[in-house]
Amino acid sequence: MMNKYAVFGNPIEHSLSPVIHENFAKSLQIQLTYTAILGSIGKFESEAKNFLANGGEGFNVTLPFKQDAFKFSDIKSDISNITKSVNTITYKDGIIYGDNTDGIGFIKDFTQNLGQNIKNKKILLVGAGGAAMGVIPNILMELPKELKIYNRTELKAQNLANQFKALGPIDILDQNNINKVNFDLIINATSIGINNLKFSLPSNTFNKNTICYDMSYGNASRSFMIWAEYNNLKFYDGLGMLIEQAAESFFIWQNKKPNITEELKNLLRKKL
Ligand code: NDP
């Protein structure tokens, strides 16, 4: 029997996950199907149950269902319990397991693929939505010197800082202080680029060695990239993170680590 997997999201038509998982399976000679399912808002539980009842062994979850998937899981991983969100469901012996691989996906891309590190670094995280929340615990586990959150809606940044303060040196950066500190790493976790809006931060937030990492990829990463290039800063987009979080999900399901090749990255870049 073929292993049956999927990704649930809404919208979902542009998801790269089926291509990534099919590529992993092919490289490891594993037979599986992986489809993109457009979930209906308000019907996550019944649609997810239906998929599992019809032979599904697991699925990924993307916007806007990660909190629904958390509630849907019988047993949650530690990291899911911390973020209260799930992006990987595994169904085994009638039990639904929930995990979240977004944060580890970022760490693996940033440290292993890009050869950077987080320990003792001063980090600015711009944005306070689901993407920001997903990476904060893993960043704090890498022992940065400080992690500041800067967000258009300051209250959301404050809520995240409060939620995670037991894990490490996290605080907000408010409008009065945005001019006063510079950072080793600036991570964009906003959706500014999806709407093609201009990304900007004051020049005091960076120095010539500051690294810019955008969790977005494709056209959505253009705004931050343009700003980084204008300021002569090293820039990476979030495609590597997307592939790494998929590889972690694949490992949870198949107990095999897929090889992440340049060929796969190039294939995905062509599809963006
Ligand atoms: P959310 O909708 O949860 O959050 C959006 C964030 O962007 C909020 O902080 C919001 O601020 C901010 N924002 C939106 N518009 C503006 C604006 N005009 N000016 C300033 N701030 C703005 O989205 P997500 O967190 O889920 O996703 C963010 C990005 O991360 C997406 O591009 C997504 O594709 C990417 N992502 C990438 C992953 C990967 O594997 N590479 C994984 C997950 C996400 P406010 O609070 O004020 O509204």
Side-chain angles (χ1 to χ4, degrees):
M1 261 255 292
M2 273 227 217
N3 297 130
K4 186 175 164 182
Y5 301 107
V7 55
F8 276 77
N10 187 329
I12 200 67
E13 65 271 23
H14 298 301
S15 173
L16 295 173
S17 294
V19 179
I20 298 174
H21 282 274
E22 279 157 17
N23 183 285
F24 289 163
K26 200 171 158 202
S27 69
L28 290 163
Q29 296 177 312
I30 292 169
Q31 301 262 306
L32 59 76
T33 61
Y34 188 108
T35 46
I37 297 178
L38 179 67
S40 318
I41 308 295
K43 289 191 180 164
F44 176 80
E45 191 179 337
S46 59
E47 292 177 356
K49 268 189 181 154
N50 189 39
F51 178 76
L52 298 180
N54 284 294
E57 288 170 64
F59 56 86
N60 286 124
V61 183
T62 185
L63 276 177
F65 300 123
K66 290 184 187 179
Q67 279 75 34
D68 294 311
F70 176 77
K71 290 187 202 126
F72 183 68
S73 309
D74 299 321
I75 297 180
K76 289 118 174 155
S77 68
D78 290 349
I79 202 79
S80 300
N81 273 319
I82 292 172
T83 60
K84 305 274 181 284
S85 74
V86 156
N87 81 338
T88 306
I89 292 279
T90 310
Y91 188 50
K92 213 173 166 196
D93 302 328
I95 297 169
I96 299 165
Y97 297 88
D99 208 331
N100 197 321
T101 64
D102 284 333
I104 189 70
F106 164 70
I107 299 293
K108 288 227 162 152
D109 188 44
F110 192 67
T111 59
Q112 293 181 10
N113 300 343
L114 304 175
Q116 305 291 343
N117 74 79
I118 289 191
K119 197 167 179 191
N120 289 329
K121 294 283 159 65
K122 291 190 288 177
I123 302 173
L124 176 62
L125 179 62
V126 187
M133 186 176 74
V135 295
I136 289 172
N138 293 81
I139 291 175
L140 290 173
M141 285 172 207
E142 298 287 310
L143 307 175
K145 187 167 183 189
E146 61 183 33
L147 174 59
K148 301 277 191 212
I149 312 175
Y150 178 66
N151 193 46
R152 178 178 62 180
T153 312
E154 199 175 292
L155 182 63
K156 278 170 70 181
Q158 190 62 64
N159 288 342
L160 279 188
N162 292 343
Q163 184 181 345
F164 295 117
K165 66 175 179 235
L167 299 180
I170 182 171
D171 204 348
I172 66 160
L173 191 65
D174 60 30
Q175 286 293 347
N176 300 329
N177 292 309
I178 187 78
N179 267 317
K180 296 181 186 156
V181 217
N182 69 65
F183 294 89
D184 303 308
L185 167 63
I186 300 175
I187 304 169
N188 175 33
T190 73
S191 51
I192 290 175
I194 293 176
N195 302 314
N196 220 358
L197 298 170
K198 200 171 166 214
F199 183 100
S200 186
L201 284 171
S203 57
N204 285 359
T205 53
F206 59 88
N207 59 58
K208 67 178 175 26
N209 297 317
T210 299
I211 292 169
C212 297
Y213 188 101
D214 200 338
M215 289 180 66
S216 298
Y217 43 85
N219 280 340
S221 63
R222 275 183 54 79
S223 307
F224 188 35
M225 186 179 73
I226 288 168
W227 178 82
E229 284 180 352
Y230 177 78
N231 291 295
N232 290 318
L233 302 177
K234 194 167 237 180
F235 173 87
Y236 302 108
D237 74 5
L239 188 64
M241 172 179 170
L242 179 79
I243 302 172
E244 288 292 345
Q245 62 78 28
E248 292 295 316
S249 295
F250 194 94
F251 182 73
I252 290 171
W253 294 329
Q254 291 288 334
N255 206 27
K256 286 197 176 116
K257 206 77 221 219
N259 242 344
I260 294 168
T261 59
E262 275 310 304
E263 200 185 335
L264 173 60
K265 275 196 168 174
N266 291 336
L267 176 72
L268 296 174
R269 288 204 191 280
K270 278 189 206 143
K271 290 187 179 288
L272 284 170

